[in-house]
């Protein structure tokens, strides 16, 4: 049984109602159907704008579907003039996939957003990533992993990160099962990717966190 099936949803019904303010846009495809970015636009939005974009990746360690988690945050940033979105990625419970596939979806989403800059009215150089637990891991990986000849950049580097209950060490037993093997988990660990000239970031973490323990 998933760890998250034992955690009661808090305010989920209210957040699902708030999600109706979003415009769903398909950015990718999976075996189970399209993957969506749920986009929240400012009231005075115009496609000719050049606004900041704030993207949130939900928690759940790539297992539970929790796209409504950051809906209140998106509504807040949209009210302040930014374009905001919550992102879907492939999940173990729906697609029988793990962290590696979610990372691929994250990169595809960022490339799609940069290519859609005129339609979304955004400045690709002002993209801020946010996330919780496994979603924070995706944001950190996107920000810290350097492009290579084998994996060239398809989008500008994120301008900043805002993270909650971040998964920093994916070799821990509770999440290692979401990776193909220990070697892959170590290679993708944010602890291994720390470098100079990373974007500014702020991390929040509760000391009594039961899902992503503070000590980790």
């Amino acid at each position: 049984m998933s760890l998250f099936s034992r955690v009661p949803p808090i305010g989920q019904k209210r957040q699902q109602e708030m999600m109706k303010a979003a415009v769903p846009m398909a950015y990718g495809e999976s075996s189970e159907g399209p993957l969506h970015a749920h986009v929240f636009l400012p009231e005075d939005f115009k496609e000719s704008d050049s606004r900041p974009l704030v993207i949130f990746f939900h928690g759940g360690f790539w297992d539970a579907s929790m796209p409504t988690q950051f809906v209140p945050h998106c509504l807040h940033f949209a009210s302040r003039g930014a374009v905001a979105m919550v992102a879907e990625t492939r999940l173990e419970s729906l697609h029988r996939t793990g962290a590696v596939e979610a990372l691929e979806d994250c990169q595809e989403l960022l490339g799609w957003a940069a290519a859609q800059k005129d339609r979304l009215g955004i400045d690709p150089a002002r993209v801020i990533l946010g996330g919780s637990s496994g979603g924070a891991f995706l944001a950190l990986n996107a920000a810290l992993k350097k492009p290579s000849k084998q994996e060239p950049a398809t989008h500008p580097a994120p301008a900043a990160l805002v993270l909650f209950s971040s998964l920093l060490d994916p070799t821990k037993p509770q999440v290692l099962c979401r990776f193909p093997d220990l070697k892959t988990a170590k290679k993708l660990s944010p602890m291994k990717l720390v470098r100079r000239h990373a974007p500014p970031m702020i991390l929040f973490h509760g000391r009594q966190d039961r899902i992503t323990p503070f000590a980790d």
Side-chain angles (χ1 to χ4, degrees):
M1 182 171 63
S2 168
L3 173 65
F4 296 93
S5 65
R6 302 195 298 268
V7 179
I10 300 173
Q12 191 176 80
K13 186 173 181 180
R14 173 174 173 267
Q15 291 169 352
Q16 288 173 345
E17 188 66 25
M18 295 162 72
M19 179 76 100
K20 294 178 181 178
V23 179
M25 297 183 179
Y27 73 87
E29 287 289 334
S30 75
S31 59
E32 305 299 326
L35 297 171
H36 289 99
H38 300 272
V39 184
F40 296 79
L41 301 171
E43 286 188 4
D44 56 347
F45 169 80
K46 301 186 296 294
E47 290 187 352
S48 59
D49 293 339
S50 184
R51 298 173 182 265
L53 169 64
V54 187
I55 303 174
F56 287 101
F57 297 96
H58 66 75
F61 292 134
W62 324 291
D63 178 15
S65 178
M66 303 167 59
T68 61
Q69 181 181 16
F70 286 106
V71 168
H73 304 68
C74 286
L75 289 170
H76 168 76
F77 282 108
S79 73
R80 300 296 295 269
V83 175
M85 65 174 67
V86 289
E88 296 178 358
T89 63
R90 282 173 287 177
L91 303 167
E92 197 280 332
S93 59
L94 296 176
H95 310 93
R96 299 166 299 284
T97 55
V100 172
E101 292 80 8
L103 283 168
E104 292 171 355
D105 296 338
C106 174
Q107 292 295 336
E108 183 174 4
L109 171 66
L110 294 176
W112 171 85
Q116 298 289 319
K117 63 183 181 66
D118 293 332
R119 179 184 178 192
L120 295 173
I122 63 164
D123 177 358
R126 292 194 294 163
V127 175
I128 297 90
L129 303 184
S132 173
S133 61
F137 173 87
L138 300 182
L140 282 164
N141 201 281
L144 296 175
K145 189 175 181 181
K146 288 186 176 181
S148 64
K149 290 183 179 180
Q150 293 74 29
E151 298 178 83
T154 60
H155 54 83
L161 281 74
V162 182
L163 308 176
F164 306 87
S165 303
S166 305
L167 172 64
L168 301 178
D169 183 358
T171 67
K172 297 297 180 180
Q174 67 266 32
V175 292
L176 183 57
C177 61
R178 304 289 185 223
F179 293 81
D181 48 53
L182 178 60
K183 181 179 179 181
T184 302
K186 287 182 176 179
K187 180 181 177 182
L188 296 173
S189 171
M191 302 300 290
K192 299 289 186 181
L193 299 175
V194 174
R195 59 178 175 82
R196 290 175 179 266
H197 309 302
M201 57 185 75
I202 185 167
L203 289 78
F204 300 93
H205 209 123
R207 291 185 181 274
Q208 303 301 316
D209 193 324
R210 295 179 295 121
I211 308 299
T212 314
F214 179 77
D216 293 343

